[in-house]
Coordinates of all heavy atoms in Angstrom, one line a residue:
A1 N 0.8 -1.2 0.0 CA 0.0 0.0 0.0 C 0.9 1.2 0.0 O 2.0 1.2 0.4 CB -0.9 0.0 1.2
K2 N 0.3 2.3 -0.5 CA 1.0 3.6 -0.5 C 0.1 4.7 0.0 O -1.1 4.7 -0.3 CB 1.5 4.0 -1.9 CG 2.7 3.1 -2.4 CD 3.2 3.7 -3.7 CE 4.2 2.6 -4.2 NZ 5.2 3.2 -5.1
F3 N 0.8 5.5 0.8 CA 0.1 6.7 1.4 C 0.9 7.9 1.0 O 2.1 7.8 0.9 CB -0.1 6.6 2.9 CG -0.9 5.4 3.3 CD1 -0.3 4.1 3.4 CD2 -2.2 5.5 3.6 CE1 -1.0 3.0 3.8 CE2 -2.9 4.4 4.0 CZ -2.4 3.2 4.1
T4 N 0.3 9.1 0.9 CA 1.1 10.2 0.5 C 0.6 11.5 1.2 O -0.6 11.5 1.6 CB 1.1 10.5 -1.0 OG1 1.9 11.6 -1.3 CG2 -0.3 10.8 -1.5
R5 N 1.5 12.4 1.4 CA 1.1 13.6 2.1 C 2.1 14.7 1.6 O 3.2 14.5 1.3 CB 1.3 13.4 3.6 CG 0.8 14.5 4.5 CD 0.9 14.1 5.9 NE 0.1 15.0 6.8 CZ 0.2 15.0 8.1 NH1 1.0 14.2 8.7 NH2 -0.6 15.8 8.8
V6 N 1.6 16.0 1.5 CA 2.4 17.1 1.2 C 3.0 17.7 2.4 O 2.2 18.1 3.3 CB 1.6 18.1 0.3 CG1 2.5 19.3 0.0 CG2 1.1 17.5 -1.0
D7 N 4.3 17.9 2.5 CA 4.8 18.8 3.6 C 4.6 20.2 3.2 O 5.3 20.8 2.4 CB 6.3 18.5 3.7 CG 6.9 19.2 4.9 OD1 6.3 20.2 5.4 OD2 8.0 18.9 5.4
Q8 N 3.6 20.8 3.8 CA 3.2 22.1 3.4 C 4.1 23.2 3.9 O 4.1 24.4 3.5 CB 1.7 22.4 3.8 CG 0.7 21.5 3.1 CD -0.7 21.7 3.4 OE1 -1.0 22.0 4.6 NE2 -1.6 21.6 2.4
S9 N 5.0 22.8 4.8 CA 6.0 23.8 5.3 C 7.1 24.0 4.3 O 7.8 25.0 4.4 CB 6.5 23.4 6.6 OG 7.4 22.2 6.5
T10 N 7.3 23.1 3.4 CA 8.4 23.2 2.4 C 7.8 23.4 0.9 O 8.6 23.8 0.0 CB 9.3 22.0 2.4 OG1 8.6 20.8 2.2 CG2 10.0 21.9 3.7
C11 N 6.5 23.1 0.7 CA 5.9 23.4 -0.6 C 6.0 24.8 -1.0 O 5.7 25.7 -0.2 CB 4.5 22.9 -0.6 SG 3.5 23.4 -2.1
I12 N 6.5 25.1 -2.2 CA 6.7 26.5 -2.7 C 5.6 26.8 -3.7 O 5.7 27.8 -4.5 CB 8.1 26.7 -3.2 CG1 8.4 25.7 -4.4 CG2 9.1 26.7 -2.1 CD1 9.7 26.1 -5.1
A13 N 4.5 26.0 -3.7 CA 3.4 26.3 -4.7 C 3.8 26.3 -6.1 O 3.4 27.1 -6.9 CB 2.7 27.6 -4.3
C14 N 4.8 25.4 -6.5 CA 5.3 25.4 -7.9 C 4.2 24.8 -8.8 O 4.2 25.1 -10.0 CB 6.6 24.6 -8.0 SG 6.4 22.9 -8.2
G15 N 3.3 24.0 -8.3 CA 2.2 23.5 -9.2 C 2.5 22.3 -10.0 O 1.7 21.9 -10.8
A16 N 3.7 21.7 -9.8 CA 4.0 20.5 -10.7 C 3.2 19.3 -10.3 O 2.8 18.5 -11.2 CB 5.5 20.2 -10.6
C17 N 3.0 19.1 -9.0 CA 2.4 17.8 -8.6 C 1.0 17.6 -9.1 O 0.6 16.5 -9.6 CB 2.4 17.7 -7.1 SG 1.7 19.1 -6.2
G18 N 0.2 18.7 -9.1 CA -1.2 18.6 -9.6 C -1.3 18.3 -11.1 O -2.2 17.8 -11.6
A19 N -0.2 18.8 -11.8 CA -0.1 18.6 -13.2 C 0.2 17.1 -13.5 O -0.3 16.5 -14.4 CB 0.9 19.5 -13.9
S20 N 1.1 16.5 -12.7 CA 1.5 15.1 -12.9 C 0.4 14.2 -12.4 O 0.2 13.1 -12.9 CB 2.7 14.8 -12.1 OG 3.8 15.6 -12.6
A21 N -0.3 14.6 -11.3 CA -1.2 13.7 -10.6 C -2.5 14.4 -10.2 O -2.7 14.6 -9.0 CB -0.5 13.0 -9.4
P22 N -3.3 14.8 -11.2 CA -4.4 15.7 -10.9 C -5.5 15.0 -10.0 O -6.3 15.7 -9.4 CB -5.0 16.0 -12.2 CG -4.5 15.0 -13.2 CD -3.1 14.6 -12.6
E23 N -5.5 13.7 -10.0 CA -6.4 12.9 -9.1 C -6.0 12.8 -7.7 O -6.7 12.4 -6.8 CB -6.8 11.6 -9.7 CG -7.5 11.7 -11.0 CD -7.6 10.3 -11.8 OE1 -8.5 9.6 -11.5 OE2 -6.7 10.1 -12.6
I24 N -4.7 13.2 -7.5 CA -4.2 13.0 -6.1 C -4.0 14.4 -5.4 O -4.3 14.6 -4.3 CB -2.8 12.3 -6.1 CG1 -3.0 10.9 -6.8 CG2 -2.3 12.1 -4.7 CD1 -1.6 10.2 -6.9
F25 N -3.4 15.4 -6.2 CA -3.1 16.6 -5.6 C -3.9 17.8 -6.2 O -4.1 17.9 -7.4 CB -1.6 16.9 -5.8 CG -0.7 15.9 -5.3 CD1 -0.1 14.9 -6.1 CD2 -0.4 15.8 -3.9 CE1 0.7 13.9 -5.6 CE2 0.4 14.8 -3.4 CZ 1.0 13.9 -4.3
D26 N -4.2 18.7 -5.3 CA -4.9 20.0 -5.7 C -4.2 21.0 -4.8 O -3.3 20.7 -4.0 CB -6.4 19.9 -5.5 CG -7.1 21.0 -6.3 OD1 -6.4 21.8 -7.0 OD2 -8.3 21.0 -6.3
Y27 N -4.6 22.3 -4.9 CA -4.0 23.4 -4.3 C -5.0 24.2 -3.4 O -6.1 24.4 -3.9 CB -3.3 24.3 -5.3 CG -2.5 23.6 -6.3 CD1 -3.0 23.4 -7.6 CD2 -1.3 23.0 -6.0 CE1 -2.3 22.6 -8.5 CE2 -0.5 22.2 -6.9 CZ -1.1 22.1 -8.2 OH -0.4 21.3 -9.1
N28 N -4.5 24.7 -2.3 CA -5.4 25.6 -1.5 C -5.3 27.0 -2.1 O -4.7 27.3 -3.2 CB -5.0 25.5 -0.1 CG -3.7 26.2 0.3 OD1 -3.1 26.9 -0.5 ND2 -3.1 25.8 1.4
D29 N -6.0 28.0 -1.4 CA -6.1 29.3 -1.9 C -4.7 30.0 -2.2 O -4.6 30.9 -3.0 CB -6.9 30.2 -1.0 CG -8.3 29.8 -1.0 OD1 -8.8 29.1 -1.9 OD2 -9.1 30.2 -0.1
E30 N -3.7 29.5 -1.4 CA -2.4 30.1 -1.6 C -1.5 29.3 -2.6 O -0.4 29.7 -2.8 CB -1.6 30.1 -0.2 CG -2.0 31.3 0.7 CD -3.1 30.9 1.6 OE1 -3.0 29.9 2.3 OE2 -4.1 31.7 1.7
G31 N -2.1 28.3 -3.2 CA -1.4 27.5 -4.2 C -0.6 26.4 -3.6 O 0.2 25.7 -4.3
I32 N -0.7 26.3 -2.3 CA 0.0 25.2 -1.6 C -0.7 23.9 -1.8 O -2.0 23.8 -1.7 CB 0.1 25.4 -0.1 CG1 0.8 26.8 0.2 CG2 0.8 24.3 0.7 CD1 2.3 26.8 -0.2
A33 N 0.0 22.8 -2.1 CA -0.6 21.6 -2.5 C -1.1 20.8 -1.3 O -0.6 20.9 -0.2 CB 0.4 20.7 -3.2
Y34 N -2.1 20.0 -1.5 CA -2.6 19.0 -0.5 C -3.1 17.8 -1.2 O -3.4 17.8 -2.5 CB -3.7 19.6 0.3 CG -5.0 19.9 -0.4 CD1 -6.0 19.0 -0.5 CD2 -5.2 21.1 -1.1 CE1 -7.2 19.2 -1.1 CE2 -6.4 21.4 -1.8 CZ -7.4 20.4 -1.8 OH -8.6 20.7 -2.5
V35 N -3.2 16.7 -0.5 CA -3.7 15.4 -1.0 C -5.2 15.4 -1.0 O -5.9 15.6 0.0 CB -3.2 14.2 -0.2 CG1 -3.8 12.9 -0.8 CG2 -1.7 14.2 -0.3
I36 N -5.9 15.3 -2.2 CA -7.3 15.3 -2.3 C -8.0 14.2 -1.6 O -9.0 14.3 -0.9 CB -7.7 15.2 -3.8 CG1 -7.2 16.4 -4.6 CG2 -9.2 15.2 -4.0 CD1 -7.2 16.2 -6.1
L37 N -7.3 13.0 -1.6 CA -7.9 11.8 -1.1 C -8.3 11.9 0.3 O -9.3 11.3 0.7 CB -6.9 10.6 -1.3 CG -6.3 10.3 -2.6 CD1 -5.2 9.3 -2.5 CD2 -7.4 9.8 -3.6
D38 N -7.5 12.5 1.1 CA -7.8 12.5 2.6 C -7.5 13.9 3.2 O -7.2 14.0 4.4 CB -7.0 11.4 3.3 CG -5.5 11.6 3.0 OD1 -5.1 12.7 2.5 OD2 -4.8 10.6 3.1
D39 N -7.7 15.0 2.4 CA -7.4 16.3 2.9 C -6.0 16.4 3.5 O -5.9 17.1 4.5 CB -8.5 16.7 3.9 CG -8.7 18.2 3.9 OD1 -8.3 18.9 3.0 OD2 -9.3 18.7 4.9
N40 N -5.1 15.8 2.9 CA -3.7 15.8 3.3 C -3.4 15.3 4.7 O -2.4 15.6 5.4 CB -3.1 17.3 3.3 CG -1.6 17.3 3.0 OD1 -1.2 16.6 2.1 ND2 -0.9 18.1 3.7
E41 N -4.2 14.3 5.1 CA -4.0 13.6 6.4 C -3.0 12.5 6.2 O -2.4 12.0 7.2 CB -5.3 13.0 6.9 CG -6.3 14.1 7.3 CD -5.9 14.8 8.6 OE1 -5.3 14.2 9.5 OE2 -6.2 16.0 8.7
G42 N -2.8 12.0 5.0 CA -1.9 10.9 4.8 C -2.5 9.5 5.3 O -1.7 8.6 5.5
C43 N -3.8 9.5 5.4 CA -4.4 8.3 6.0 C -5.1 7.4 5.0 O -5.5 6.3 5.4 CB -5.3 8.7 7.2 SG -6.7 9.7 6.6
Q44 N -5.3 7.9 3.8 CA -6.1 7.1 2.8 C -5.2 6.5 1.8 O -4.3 7.2 1.2 CB -7.0 8.1 2.1 CG -7.9 7.5 1.1 CD -9.1 6.7 1.7 OE1 -9.7 7.1 2.6 NE2 -9.3 5.6 1.1
E45 N -5.3 5.2 1.6 CA -4.5 4.5 0.6 C -4.6 5.1 -0.8 O -5.8 5.4 -1.3 CB -4.9 3.0 0.5 CG -3.9 2.1 1.1 CD -4.3 0.6 0.8 OE1 -4.3 0.2 -0.4 OE2 -4.7 -0.1 1.7
V46 N -3.5 5.3 -1.5 CA -3.5 5.7 -2.9 C -3.9 4.6 -3.8 O -3.3 3.5 -3.7 CB -2.1 6.3 -3.3 CG1 -2.2 6.7 -4.8 CG2 -1.7 7.4 -2.4
P47 N -5.0 4.7 -4.6 CA -5.3 3.6 -5.5 C -4.2 3.2 -6.4 O -3.4 4.1 -6.9 CB -6.5 4.2 -6.3 CG -7.0 5.4 -5.5 CD -5.8 5.9 -4.8
E48 N -4.1 1.9 -6.6 CA -2.9 1.4 -7.4 C -2.8 2.0 -8.8 O -1.7 2.2 -9.3 CB -2.9 -0.1 -7.5 CG -2.1 -0.8 -6.4 CD -2.1 -2.3 -6.5 OE1 -1.7 -2.8 -7.5 OE2 -2.6 -3.0 -5.5
D49 N -3.9 2.3 -9.4 CA -3.8 2.8 -10.8 C -3.3 4.3 -10.8 O -3.0 4.8 -11.9 CB -5.2 2.7 -11.5 CG -6.3 3.5 -10.7 OD1 -6.2 3.6 -9.5 OD2 -7.2 4.1 -11.4
L50 N -3.1 4.8 -9.6 CA -2.5 6.2 -9.6 C -1.0 6.2 -9.1 O -0.4 7.2 -9.0 CB -3.3 7.1 -8.6 CG -4.7 7.3 -9.0 CD1 -5.4 8.2 -7.9 CD2 -4.9 7.9 -10.3
Y51 N -0.4 5.0 -9.0 CA 1.0 4.9 -8.5 C 1.9 5.6 -9.5 O 2.9 6.2 -9.1 CB 1.4 3.4 -8.4 CG 0.9 2.8 -7.1 CD1 0.0 3.4 -6.2 CD2 1.4 1.5 -6.7 CE1 -0.4 2.8 -5.0 CE2 1.0 0.9 -5.5 CZ 0.1 1.5 -4.7 OH -0.2 0.9 -3.6
D52 N 1.7 5.4 -10.8 CA 2.6 6.0 -11.8 C 2.6 7.6 -11.6 O 3.6 8.2 -11.6 CB 2.3 5.6 -13.2 CG 2.7 4.2 -13.5 OD1 3.5 3.6 -12.7 OD2 2.3 3.7 -14.5
D53 N 1.3 8.1 -11.5 CA 1.2 9.5 -11.4 C 1.8 10.0 -10.1 O 2.5 11.0 -10.0 CB -0.3 9.9 -11.3 CG -1.0 9.8 -12.6 OD1 -0.3 9.5 -13.6 OD2 -2.2 10.1 -12.7
L54 N 1.7 9.2 -9.0 CA 2.3 9.6 -7.7 C 3.8 9.7 -7.8 O 4.4 10.6 -7.3 CB 1.8 8.6 -6.7 CG 2.5 8.7 -5.3 CD1 2.1 10.1 -4.7 CD2 2.0 7.6 -4.4
E55 N 4.4 8.7 -8.5 CA 5.8 8.7 -8.6 C 6.3 9.9 -9.4 O 7.3 10.5 -9.1 CB 6.3 7.4 -9.3 CG 7.8 7.2 -9.2 CD 8.2 5.7 -9.5 OE1 7.5 4.8 -9.1 OE2 9.2 5.6 -10.2
D56 N 5.6 10.2 -10.5 CA 6.0 11.3 -11.3 C 5.9 12.6 -10.5 O 6.8 13.5 -10.6 CB 5.0 11.5 -12.5 CG 5.2 10.4 -13.6 OD1 6.2 9.8 -13.6 OD2 4.3 10.3 -14.5
A57 N 4.9 12.7 -9.7 CA 4.7 13.9 -8.9 C 5.8 14.0 -7.8 O 6.4 15.1 -7.6 CB 3.4 13.9 -8.2
M58 N 6.1 12.9 -7.2 CA 7.2 12.9 -6.2 C 8.5 13.3 -6.8 O 9.2 14.1 -6.2 CB 7.2 11.4 -5.6 CG 8.1 11.3 -4.4 SD 8.0 9.6 -3.7 CE 8.8 8.7 -5.0
E59 N 8.8 12.7 -7.9 CA 10.1 13.0 -8.6 C 10.2 14.4 -9.1 O 11.2 15.0 -9.2 CB 10.4 12.0 -9.7 CG 10.8 10.6 -9.1 CD 10.9 9.5 -10.2 OE1 10.6 9.9 -11.4 OE2 11.2 8.4 -9.9
G60 N 9.0 14.9 -9.5 CA 9.0 16.3 -10.1 C 8.9 17.4 -9.1 O 9.2 18.6 -9.5
C61 N 8.7 17.1 -7.9 CA 8.6 18.2 -6.9 C 10.0 18.8 -6.6 O 10.9 18.0 -6.1 CB 7.9 17.7 -5.6 SG 7.9 19.1 -4.3
P62 N 10.2 20.1 -6.8 CA 11.6 20.6 -6.7 C 12.0 20.7 -5.2 O 13.2 20.9 -5.0 CB 11.4 22.0 -7.3 CG 10.0 22.4 -7.2 CD 9.3 21.1 -7.3
T63 N 11.1 20.6 -4.3 CA 11.5 20.8 -2.9 C 11.3 19.5 -2.1 O 11.4 19.5 -0.9 CB 10.7 21.9 -2.2 OG1 9.3 21.6 -2.3 CG2 10.9 23.2 -2.9
E64 N 11.1 18.4 -2.8 CA 10.8 17.1 -2.2 C 9.8 17.1 -1.0 O 9.9 16.6 0.0 CB 12.2 16.5 -1.6 CG 13.2 16.2 -2.7 CD 14.5 15.7 -2.3 OE1 14.6 15.4 -1.1 OE2 15.4 15.5 -3.1
S65 N 8.7 17.9 -1.3 CA 7.7 18.0 -0.3 C 6.6 16.9 -0.4 O 5.8 16.9 0.5 CB 7.0 19.4 -0.6 OG 7.9 20.4 -0.4
I66 N 6.7 16.1 -1.4 CA 5.7 15.0 -1.5 C 6.3 13.8 -0.8 O 7.2 13.2 -1.3 CB 5.3 14.7 -2.9 CG1 4.7 16.0 -3.5 CG2 4.4 13.5 -3.1 CD1 4.4 15.9 -4.9
K67 N 5.7 13.4 0.3 CA 6.1 12.3 1.1 C 5.3 11.1 0.7 O 4.1 11.2 0.6 CB 6.0 12.6 2.6 CG 6.6 13.9 3.0 CD 8.1 14.0 2.7 CE 8.7 15.3 3.2 NZ 10.1 15.5 2.8
V68 N 6.0 10.0 0.6 CA 5.3 8.7 0.3 C 5.7 7.6 1.3 O 6.9 7.6 1.6 CB 5.5 8.3 -1.2 CG1 4.9 6.9 -1.5 CG2 5.0 9.3 -2.1
A69 N 4.8 6.9 1.8 CA 5.2 5.8 2.7 C 4.3 4.6 2.5 O 3.2 4.7 1.9 CB 5.1 6.3 4.1
S70 N 4.7 3.5 3.0 CA 3.9 2.3 2.9 C 2.9 2.1 4.0 O 2.0 1.2 4.0 CB 4.7 1.0 2.8 OG 5.6 1.0 3.9
N71 N 2.9 3.0 5.0 CA 1.9 3.0 6.0 C 1.6 4.4 6.5 O 2.5 5.3 6.4 CB 2.3 2.1 7.2 CG 3.6 2.6 7.9 OD1 3.5 3.6 8.6 ND2 4.7 2.0 7.6
A72 N 0.4 4.6 6.9 CA 0.0 5.9 7.3 C 0.7 6.5 8.5 O 0.9 7.7 8.6 CB -1.5 5.9 7.5
E73 N 1.0 5.6 9.4 CA 1.6 6.1 10.7 C 2.9 6.9 10.4 O 3.1 7.9 11.0 CB 1.9 4.9 11.6 CG 0.7 4.3 12.2 CD -0.1 3.5 11.2 OE1 0.5 3.0 10.3 OE2 -1.3 3.3 11.4
S74 N 3.8 6.4 9.5 CA 5.1 7.1 9.4 C 4.9 8.4 8.7 O 5.7 9.3 9.0 CB 6.0 6.2 8.5 OG 5.5 6.0 7.3
L75 N 3.8 8.6 8.0 CA 3.6 10.0 7.4 C 3.1 10.9 8.5 O 3.4 12.1 8.5 CB 2.5 9.9 6.3 CG 3.0 9.4 5.0 CD1 1.9 9.4 4.0 CD2 4.2 10.2 4.4
M76 N 2.3 10.4 9.4 CA 1.7 11.3 10.4 C 2.7 11.7 11.5 O 2.6 12.7 12.1 CB 0.5 10.5 11.1 CG -0.7 10.4 10.1 SD -2.2 9.9 10.9 CE -1.9 8.1 11.1
D77 N 3.8 10.9 11.6 CA 4.8 11.3 12.5 C 5.7 12.4 12.1 O 6.3 13.1 12.8 CB 5.7 10.0 12.8 CG 5.1 9.0 13.7 OD1 4.1 9.4 14.3 OD2 5.5 7.9 13.7
E78 N 5.7 12.6 10.7 CA 6.6 13.6 10.2 C 6.3 15.1 10.5 O 5.1 15.4 10.6 CB 6.8 13.5 8.7 CG 7.7 12.4 8.3 CD 7.9 12.3 6.8 OE1 7.6 13.2 6.1 OE2 8.2 11.2 6.4
Ligands
F3S1 FE1 4.4 22.1 -3.8 FE2 6.1 20.4 -4.8 FE3 3.6 20.4 -5.5 S1 6.5 22.5 -4.3 S2 2.9 22.5 -5.4 S3 4.3 20.0 -3.5 S4 5.3 19.9 -6.8

């Protein structure tokens, strides 16, 4: 399983993640990204058919703000 969360303290609102993975990431009023699936809680499993998009987004983020983990707990600890 994969879970994801945006570290909003380092996101610079570059907008790449939502372009790579529009079903996973969207932006708030300031352009800061969040995970649509679970309102950036990192608690909802990413559907497997979105894994490729997720990887593209993770690799494309210039500030490495997109965190991915195999369990929700490790994301919530960060
Ligand atoms: Fe922010 Fe990275 Fe997305 S800087 S807008 S999380 S690509």
Side-chain angles (χ1 to χ4, degrees):
K2 288 189 189 202
F3 299 83
T4 184
R5 191 175 195 189
V6 176
D7 183 343
Q8 297 184 320
S9 69
T10 56
C11 171
I12 55 170
C14 87
C17 53
S20 296
E23 291 168 86
I24 305 176
F25 303 101
D26 202 356
Y27 314 103
N28 69 17
D29 290 345
E30 278 92 50
I32 301 297
Y34 67 92
V35 177
I36 299 165
L37 305 169
D38 54 18
D39 206 18
N40 210 46
E41 295 287 326
C43 61
Q44 181 73 44
E45 251 188 70
V46 178
E48 266 183 59
D49 60 326
L50 298 180
Y51 279 9
D52 285 349
D53 285 359
L54 176 60
E55 193 167 317
D56 288 347
M58 190 177 66
E59 287 173 358
C61 177
T63 58
E64 296 181 5
S65 298
I66 296 175
K67 309 300 181 188
V68 177
S70 56
N71 62 77
E73 288 73 24
S74 61
L75 284 178
M76 291 191 281
D77 285 345
E78 277 181 25

